């Protein structure tokens, strides 16, 4: 079985380095979304409801585009039969990993923005 996946344009969250080419406005927008919208909760619950356990959650596998975060790279996933939800334990495992990743991204962005005297 194969599936054609939609290409997601946007900013991978592993693209924030000290010499980042990402525009300041985009970094502020992403930081604000992380702080205010709790994307780890949304993404973990979405995957739980779809019965998907993503086993490779990292900064490079999360894309930001037009106000939303998307998980990509579904090479290492466990998919339950249709209609089954992921267990609370596995959902929490993904939620914790997502929180860690988003906090790490926020740290990276704050570090870069501080060199421009911008705080978020």
């Amino acid at each position: 079985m194969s599936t054609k996946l939609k290409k997601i344009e946007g900013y991978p969250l592993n693209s924030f380095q000290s010499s980042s080419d990402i525009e300041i406005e985009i970094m502020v927008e992403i930081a604000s979304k992380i702080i205010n919208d709790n994307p780890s909760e949304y993404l973990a619950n979405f995957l739980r409801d779809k019965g998907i356990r993503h086993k490779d959650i990292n900064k490079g596998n999360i894309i930001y585009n037009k106000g939303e975060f998307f998980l990509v790279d579904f090479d290492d996933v466990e998919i339950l039969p249709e209609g089954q939800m992921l267990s609370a334990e596995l959902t929490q495992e993904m939620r914790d990993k997502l929180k860690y990743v988003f906090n790490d991204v926020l740290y990276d962005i704050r570090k870069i923005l501080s060199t421009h005297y911008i705080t978020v």
Side-chain angles (χ1 to χ4, degrees), residues 19-38:
S19 60
S20 180
D21 293 331
I22 304 292
E23 297 175 19
I24 299 288
E25 297 87 25
I26 296 296
M27 285 191 267
V28 170
E29 182 180 324
I30 290 170
S32 177
K33 284 285 187 184
I34 292 171
I35 293 166
N36 297 318
D37 293 354
N38 198 3

Side-chain angles (χ1 to χ4, degrees), residues 47 51-55 76-80 86 90 93-94:
L47 292 171
I52 299 172
R53 179 182 179 205
H54 197 297
K55 299 181 193 177
D76 192 9
V77 297
E78 177 183 332
I79 301 175
L80 300 178
L86 220 51
L90 292 177
E93 179 184 291
M94 286 191 305

Side-chain angles (χ1 to χ4, degrees), residues 1-119:
M1 177 172 89
S2 68
T3 302
K4 180 149 173 84
L5 298 175
K6 177 180 157 185
K7 179 167 174 55
I8 304 290
E9 299 293 333
Y11 302 95
L13 297 189
N14 67 346
S15 59
F16 304 110
Q17 308 300 324
S18 58
S19 60
S20 180
D21 293 331
I22 304 292
E23 297 175 19
I24 299 288
E25 297 87 25
I26 296 296
M27 285 191 267
V28 170
E29 182 180 324
I30 290 170
S32 177
K33 284 285 187 184
I34 292 171
I35 293 166
N36 297 318
D37 293 354
N38 198 3
S40 55
E41 189 71 24
Y42 167 79
L43 290 171
N45 290 341
F46 177 82
L47 292 171
R48 176 201 64 207
D49 295 347
K50 298 292 183 187
I52 299 172
R53 179 182 179 205
H54 197 297
K55 299 181 193 177
D56 190 19
I57 295 171
N58 63 67
K59 290 191 246 185
N61 288 340
I62 303 174
I63 304 285
Y64 179 79
N65 187 26
K66 298 178 184 171
E68 294 185 75
F69 294 99
F70 299 90
L71 271 168
V72 297
D73 189 3
F74 283 78
D75 290 341
D76 192 9
V77 297
E78 177 183 332
I79 301 175
L80 300 178
E82 192 170 339
Q84 290 189 15
M85 288 181 23
L86 220 51
S87 72
E89 180 181 342
L90 292 177
T91 302
Q92 187 61 45
E93 179 184 291
M94 286 191 305
R95 185 178 293 114
D96 291 344
K97 182 64 177 174
L98 286 160
K99 282 181 185 178
Y100 175 83
V101 168
F102 282 115
N103 283 335
D104 199 32
V105 169
L106 197 53
Y107 174 83
D108 293 344
I109 290 173
R110 284 177 167 153
K111 186 174 173 185
I112 294 165
L113 293 179
S114 71
T115 64
H116 300 277
Y117 304 101
I118 299 170
T119 59

